Amino acid sequence: MKRKSLGSRIVAAPYIVWSAIFIVVPLIIMIYYSFTDATGVFSLANIAQLGKYKKAFLLSILYAIIATLVTFIIAYPLAYFMTKLKVSSQKMILMIVIFPMWMNFLIRTYSWISILANTGLINKFLAVFGIGPLKLINTPGAIILGMVYDFLPYMVLPIYTVMTKIDRSLLEAAEDLGSSALDKLRKVIFPLSLPGVVSGVTMVFVPSVSTFYISQKLGGNKTMLIGDAIEYLFNLGPDHYNVASALSLVLMALILICMAVMNRFSGEDEEGVII
């Protein structure tokens, strides 16, 4: 047992070192900058300035919630539909869902500019019918569309994975008891797939609330989310690192709170299923 324990520690050592260098140390540096001024003296002035970015925080949360809801509305029926198909068809659709993730995130986002622009593909198509050009780019809708497109696979995959593990005998039992298709979905399928939903919501909401590239390319300079504010301050130079770190600290705390809430719901659901 001792040899096994020593071997496990040796194997885990590189991961511990990696975590310390790329996770723990940056967090310590961020906390240090958040509570010091440009001279390195302890100060709460950075926290006091966060009120200036209240609108950016609220917009980030609002857009992330909308994007998460839209993603869920698209992903849940798709995942449910996939489970009804043959295994070969499931694999094909799963490949279609995953395929965009093989491309660079920046390329995927940037490609929407040529689609939504005033001279883009959509407006060119509408022009054939004498419509437009419509204002599609540099709008809140374009930002949310970019979030939904980029993060949709992160909602589909966990829901689909959980749904495929649902015991079919439970559905058959529900049918024997006279449950309609809607009753099965509401009383059996959805409660049992809730862990996948919670995981998907977390995996979509977290990157959506902290994104900055999507809003820059699809929202123009009209919309500043909290990720944009942080990047902007860091680009201004060392004199602004402290405020940027304070914003990052608050954003991290917000994300951790959201993840804790999601895990709480997920834990309760899993416990209920076991009982």
Side-chain angles (χ1 to χ4, degrees):
M1 293 297 293
K2 289 184 179 180
R3 291 181 179 179
K4 183 178 181 180
S5 177
L6 179 60
S8 300
R9 292 178 181 178
I10 294 175
V11 172
Y15 300 98
I16 296 174
V17 174
W18 186 93
S19 299
I21 295 175
F22 295 103
I23 298 178
V24 178
V25 173
L27 286 176
I28 294 175
I29 295 174
M30 180 183 66
I31 295 173
Y32 169 77
Y33 272 101
S34 299
F35 294 100
T36 57
D37 57 20
T39 61
V41 178
F42 176 81
S43 174
L44 295 177
N46 304 317
I47 305 299
Q49 294 187 48
L50 296 182
K52 299 178 181 178
Y53 303 93
K54 179 174 64 175
K55 182 178 179 181
F57 271 112
L58 294 178
L59 278 179
S60 298
I61 296 173
L62 176 62
Y63 286 8
I65 291 175
I66 295 175
T68 302
L69 288 175
V70 174
T71 304
F72 170 75
I73 292 172
I74 297 173
Y76 198 89
L78 176 60
Y80 178 74
F81 172 74
M82 289 170 60
T83 60
K84 297 295 183 180
L85 301 177
K86 298 184 297 183
V87 175
S88 58
S89 299
Q90 291 183 29
K91 292 180 179 180
M92 182 185 67
I93 297 179
L94 195 62
M95 181 66 66
I96 295 174
V97 172
I98 296 176
F99 183 75
M101 299 174 65
W102 295 356
M103 294 182 288
N104 185 274
F105 175 83
L106 304 183
I107 296 176
R108 282 185 284 145
T109 303
Y110 201 84
S111 64
W112 277 102
I113 298 177
S114 61
I115 298 175
L116 300 176
N118 293 337
T119 57
L121 297 178
I122 294 179
N123 276 314
K124 284 183 178 179
F125 175 77
L126 295 176
V128 176
F129 303 96
I131 303 174
L134 301 179
K135 181 64 173 179
L136 302 176
I137 198 70
N138 298 335
T139 62
I143 298 174
I144 294 172
L145 174 62
M147 292 179 180
V148 172
Y149 170 75
D150 283 317
F151 304 132
L152 180 62
Y154 300 114
M155 182 72 77
V156 174
L157 295 178
I159 295 177
Y160 167 75
T161 301
V162 172
M163 280 188 175
T164 56
K165 297 179 181 179
I166 294 178
D167 190 348
R168 298 301 167 185
S169 63
L170 297 176
L171 302 179
E172 295 173 358
E175 292 176 356
D176 294 339
L177 294 173
S179 296
S180 63
L182 182 60
D183 289 332
K184 287 193 299 181
L185 179 62
R186 182 168 57 90
K187 298 181 179 180
V188 180
I189 297 176
F190 183 76
L192 293 177
S193 63
L194 193 56
V197 172
V198 171
S199 178
V201 167
T202 303
M203 294 174 67
V204 172
F205 179 82
V206 169
S208 295
V209 78
S210 58
T211 188
F212 64 93
Y213 188 80
I214 295 176
S215 55
Q216 289 178 3
K217 294 304 178 183
L218 301 182
N221 298 322
K222 298 180 180 180
T223 304
M224 176 173 283
L225 303 183
I226 193 61
D228 300 314
I230 294 172
E231 188 209 22
Y232 173 76
L233 289 171
F234 271 112
N235 287 337
L236 289 179
D239 292 340
H240 300 272
Y241 285 177
N242 303 89
V243 178
S245 297
L247 287 174
S248 301
L249 182 63
V250 174
L251 179 61
M252 184 186 70
L254 174 64
I255 291 174
L256 290 176
I257 291 173
C258 294
M259 293 179 64
V261 172
M262 292 295 101
N263 288 334
R264 175 66 176 173
F265 283 119
S266 178
E268 288 180 352
D269 181 82
E270 289 175 355
E271 183 179 354
V273 171
I274 293 174
I275 290 175

